[in-house]
Amino acid sequence: MTTTKPRQDRRGAAPIAVLAVGHAAVDLYQGVVPALVPFLVAERALDYRSAAGVVLAATLLSSIVQPLFGALTDRWAMPWLIPAATVAAGAGVGLAGLFGPYALVCAAVALSGVGVAAYHPESARLARAASGNSHTRMGWFSLGGNVGFALAPLLVGPVLAVGGLGATPWLAVPAVAAAVCTAPVVRGLAARSAAASAARGGGGRDDWPGFLRLSAVIGCRSVVFVGLSSFIALYAGQRLGTGGAAGTAALFTLFAGGAVGTVLGGRLAARWGRVRTVRLSYAAAVPAVAGLLLVPGPALYGFAALVSLALYVPFSLQVTLGQDYLPSRVGTASGVTLGLAVSVGGLAGPAIGLLADHVGLRTALAPLAVLCGLAWLLAWGLVEPTGAAAEGGAGPVAGEREDAGEALGRP
């Protein structure tokens, strides 16, 4: 009897591991776009506003169509969409460096953004079904995306340093490999996802006020994170005076800290509950962002890591909260929450860039600390969802604690 549960845990963990790898490949291309910005500035002589426009092109259309994909997956299971979307995300980035005209560059990264948008709602549904409502396992799924984000500057820097923007087709290779690896697994998870969605749909009513408040919190986070990810490489180069290497290191730190934060978020939610963890995270983000902008010297890297932790601890928790606030519309909830994670920030990016052109980059980024405070205030109105869909989500249930300890390699 003592060997049955670990064997079941390992069997349940295997699909999450595969989905996490696929998630890493897709979110790699979200990280590639801001990592391309310094190279576009150098080779195409873009100003801050135009550079932010490239990031906007990758996020605006994505944010519009992602809830639509979510609504579609509420009506029909679409496992084939996951590998297809992965390939599209890579293809757009692969084409971006081959085009000279600015409009075509934006169109290419927009294609990548649509691929990212198509991927997330269905993959979030499958991951929730495979996780068995475990916050820790959902954290591992989200960790895959954060790892992809973190690897983006490490991939882009060497490839484009050698081949310039004309080498961007090589950046599409991870997408093709991930699509081949994940296609057989997602097909097998479709039936489990349908059963889980049916169970959640019958287990509670949709809480639209709670979902809208959560969406406002995510919107604030989006502006902060996308604003920093778009400009931290340029900001670090200016502050430390070491050029592109300092910027790449700062961007990597911002993304890599998110990998740790996502896993930590699952463990903290198992002990304290999701809502309390979200509140504490945004409270910590306020001094972290202020330190990033105000403290001089290499301490910038330490504050970048703290900002990343604070912004990523609540990331996967917000996804499952959204799903539990709308138990009959899990795909729509996933599409909106994941779409808002990048869309609002993408819309604000050009405004930050325009302001930076006039008053300097540090001054333009200063309001981001205020937005962290606003997210914290909004989070005080959130409550843990009740009902079958939120099972195991309100606090430290025994099974979740055990799973969290196993996932982190602790007794």
Side-chain angles (χ1 to χ4, degrees):
M1 294 177 63
T2 57
T3 60
T4 301
K5 183 181 182 297
R7 185 177 297 115
Q8 290 174 339
D9 285 347
R10 286 192 294 270
R11 187 163 54 243
I16 285 291
V18 175
L19 289 175
V21 170
H23 196 188
V26 170
D27 278 10
L28 172 75
Y29 297 104
Q30 291 197 68
V32 161
V33 174
L36 285 174
V37 166
F39 293 94
L40 289 169
V41 169
E43 293 192 28
R44 306 286 170 81
L46 301 183
D47 57 17
Y48 287 135
R49 181 172 55 180
S50 298
V54 174
V55 179
L56 175 63
T59 58
L60 179 58
L61 185 59
S62 175
S63 68
I64 294 172
V65 301
Q66 190 152 282
L68 299 179
F69 281 113
L72 289 174
T73 60
D74 279 334
R75 297 179 65 87
W76 302 286
M78 304 172 72
W80 57 267
L81 193 58
I82 293 178
T86 303
V87 172
V93 163
L95 293 171
L98 302 182
F99 297 133
Y102 179 75
L104 292 180
V105 173
C106 290
V109 298
L111 170 63
S112 181
V114 170
V116 171
Y119 173 88
H120 279 102
E122 183 71 356
S123 68
R125 178 196 298 279
L126 293 181
R128 187 69 186 271
S131 73
N133 277 350
S134 164
H135 301 323
T136 303
R137 285 184 177 169
M138 280 299 291
W140 284 104
F141 168 71
S142 295
L143 171 65
N146 299 335
V147 169
F149 245 101
L151 291 177
L154 299 184
L155 175 65
V156 171
V159 170
L160 299 193
V162 173
L165 290 174
T168 55
W170 288 105
L171 301 178
V173 172
V176 177
V180 171
C181 292
T182 58
V185 175
V186 299
R187 192 179 304 116
L189 284 172
R192 193 191 307 183
S193 173
S197 296
R200 284 194 297 269
R205 295 185 301 174
D206 293 337
D207 179 6
W208 282 102
F211 181 76
L212 292 175
R213 178 175 286 269
L214 175 67
S215 298
V217 172
I218 295 172
C220 291
R221 178 204 178 273
S222 174
V223 175
V224 175
F225 185 78
V226 177
L228 288 176
S229 65
S230 299
F231 294 108
I232 193 172
L234 297 171
Y235 179 69
Q238 292 176 2
R239 286 282 304 277
L240 302 178
T242 54
T248 298
L251 191 60
F252 173 75
T253 302
L254 183 68
F255 292 168
V260 179
T262 301
V263 176
L264 182 62
R267 183 170 179 82
L268 293 177
R271 290 192 174 189
W272 298 341
R274 290 173 291 183
V275 168
R276 184 182 179 191
T277 302
V278 168
R279 291 171 183 162
L280 292 173
S281 299
Y282 288 116
V286 176
V289 173
L292 173 66
L293 299 176
L294 298 176
V295 176
L300 177 147
Y301 295 116
F303 281 104
L306 292 175
V307 169
S308 186
L309 285 172
L311 294 180
Y312 266 104
V313 161
F315 185 77
S316 67
L317 309 181
Q318 291 169 163
V319 175
T320 60
L321 277 171
Q323 292 173 337
D324 291 342
Y325 282 136
L326 301 183
S328 68
R329 296 174 174 84
V330 173
T332 299
S334 301
V336 171
T337 55
L338 291 167
L340 280 176
V342 294
S343 63
V344 179
L347 290 170
I352 296 173
L354 180 61
L355 184 61
D357 286 330
H358 289 86
V359 300
L361 197 49
R362 179 160 65 178
T363 303
L365 294 173
L368 301 184
V370 178
L371 281 176
C372 292
L374 179 58
W376 173 71
L377 290 173
L378 289 168
W380 277 98
L382 298 176
V383 296
E384 288 283 355
T386 57
E391 186 177 327
V397 294
E400 186 70 3
R401 282 186 177 182
E402 292 176 9
D403 190 38
E406 292 168 5
L408 294 175
R410 297 178 181 177

